[in-house]
Amino acid sequence: MKIAIFPNLNNDGVTQLTDRICKKLEELEMQYTVASCVKRAQLGKEPLFPNQSEIISEHDIVIAVGGDGTTLNVAKAASFHNKSTLGINAGRLGFMSGLEKDELDYLENLKSGDYDIEQRMMLEAEIETNGEKRSYVCLNDAVITRGDLARLIDISVTCDDRMITNMRSDGLIVATPTGSTAYSLAAGGPVVSPENSCFVITPICPHSLVNRSIVYSADKKLKITVCNDKNNTAYVSIDGEQSVPVFADTTVTISKSSLVTRLIKIKPDNFYEMLNKKLLERRY
């Protein structure tokens, strides 16, 4: 078994944690490769992990070392190769991580095969402007937000070509079950267990007393349009990593992706225990 390790060296303590992971894998006589990481000053100009796709394709299992953002980045890339990802938390919350930094003894389960695979659904966001279409895959969410100015935008949502809502708000979040514990939760949305196949739309600061989150089954197709004044361009944010401008003639179509993310579940706890430990008892 060959393992690819992707450490986000821009996070404090990741270098030391990665050294401990490598030492443990050596004790288990498991082959591994540590990917290089781009320093924070160069991010935006270069991806976090150069040659990420090639490295993933050459290995059997992927380990992401960092916070939830690192695990999301690596796990989504691994989904294009149908490879499984284990997140090891070196950040704050680590909701997507399978292990904490003091639980490295569980790595022997990788060698024995004593672990489960959680398949997480993803969204496809197709953005069409002037007949030009671009598609993106989302593991957490696609978020439509206002531009630089603090002005509300008008958002229309249809489901299977039937009008659902017209709202004035700061934006709209379309989240997967995985993403329901991220920005959507902070905006007042519900927590959805990750084994579900659905997506949640949650308005951001709606100028209304009645707009609330709505949960849709994954076989639905949403179309979203935005009307904003000429001095305030709206944007679609894809998993907080890519930002695409939205104009009056832009249509954002949200549907279930054919790809799934495969997360390694290596400990015996379940989603609800993790929810209680990491969110309900959170003190910071």
Side-chain angles (χ1 to χ4, degrees):
M1 178 183 292
K2 298 172 62 178
I3 297 175
I5 304 173
F6 289 88
N8 186 348
L9 300 180
N10 296 294
N11 289 4
D12 293 338
V14 169
T15 300
Q16 293 84 353
L17 177 56
T18 302
D19 290 342
R20 290 172 52 210
I21 293 169
C22 293
K23 182 179 179 181
K24 185 64 179 179
L25 293 177
E26 289 168 3
E27 292 174 0
L28 295 169
E29 300 182 341
M30 300 178 73
Q31 298 181 52
Y32 66 87
T33 300
V34 179
S36 60
C37 176
V38 171
K39 297 298 183 182
R40 182 173 285 110
Q42 296 299 316
L43 291 179
K45 301 176 184 178
E46 300 180 43
L48 180 61
F49 300 109
N51 304 316
Q52 184 180 52
S53 180
E54 292 86 344
I55 295 172
I56 291 172
S57 67
E58 295 169 355
H59 292 76
D60 304 304
I61 285 178
V62 180
I63 292 178
V65 187
D68 281 328
T70 306
T71 301
L72 185 148
N73 176 297
V74 174
K76 187 163 68 169
S79 70
F80 288 89
H81 301 276
N82 200 31
K83 300 295 175 70
S84 301
T85 301
L86 172 64
I88 299 181
N89 184 30
R92 288 172 294 179
L93 189 58
F95 202 87
M96 294 178 63
S97 300
L99 290 179
E100 299 297 323
K101 55 189 175 183
D102 59 349
E103 298 176 327
L104 299 187
D105 285 344
Y106 278 104
L107 288 174
E108 64 183 87
N109 291 24
L110 292 181
K111 186 172 185 178
S112 66
D114 185 18
Y115 59 86
D116 296 321
I117 302 293
E118 288 186 345
Q119 295 198 17
R120 304 287 185 93
M121 70 159 282
M122 293 195 288
L123 300 178
E124 180 177 351
E126 182 183 83
I127 304 173
E128 180 177 1
T129 303
N130 289 329
E132 180 181 347
K133 297 181 181 180
R134 287 187 288 177
S135 293
Y136 303 86
V137 174
C138 315
L139 174 54
N140 257 5
D141 49 38
V143 181
I144 298 175
T145 57
R146 59 177 171 80
D148 296 331
L149 301 178
R151 299 177 181 176
L152 299 176
I153 55 178
D154 294 294
I155 302 175
S156 296
V157 182
T158 64
C159 177
D160 292 343
D161 297 322
R162 299 180 70 89
M163 177 58 64
I164 297 300
T165 185
N166 287 302
M167 70 176 72
R168 301 207 78 199
S169 66
D170 276 356
L172 181 73
I173 304 166
V174 185
T176 65
T178 298
S180 72
T181 55
Y183 193 4
S184 178
L185 177 65
V191 173
V192 181
S193 181
E195 69 264 17
N196 286 286
S197 185
C198 62
F199 41 83
V200 181
I201 65 167
T202 300
I204 305 171
C205 298
H207 196 242
S208 167
L209 297 177
V210 297
N211 284 114
R212 294 291 184 268
S213 298
I214 304 176
V215 180
Y216 294 87
S217 63
D219 62 344
K220 301 299 183 183
K221 180 176 290 188
L222 301 181
K223 289 188 178 181
I224 304 169
T225 56
V226 178
C227 181
N228 42 264
D229 64 61
K230 62 182 180 180
N231 296 316
N232 190 33
T233 301
Y235 294 88
V236 180
S237 174
I238 307 298
D239 278 337
E241 297 178 332
Q242 297 166 290
S243 184
V244 183
V246 176
F247 306 102
D249 60 345
T250 299
T251 300
V252 181
T253 303
I254 304 291
S255 58
K256 181 181 179 181
S257 172
S258 60
L259 296 173
V260 296
T261 293
R262 296 163 55 90
L263 294 182
I264 293 175
K265 182 178 181 297
I266 204 167
K267 294 190 299 183
D269 56 356
N270 62 33
F271 171 77
Y272 304 101
E273 291 172 321
M274 187 180 301
L275 179 70
N276 186 66
K277 181 186 301 182
K278 292 184 177 287
L279 289 182
L280 298 183
E281 296 180 351
R282 193 174 183 187
R283 293 290 184 269
Y284 56 91

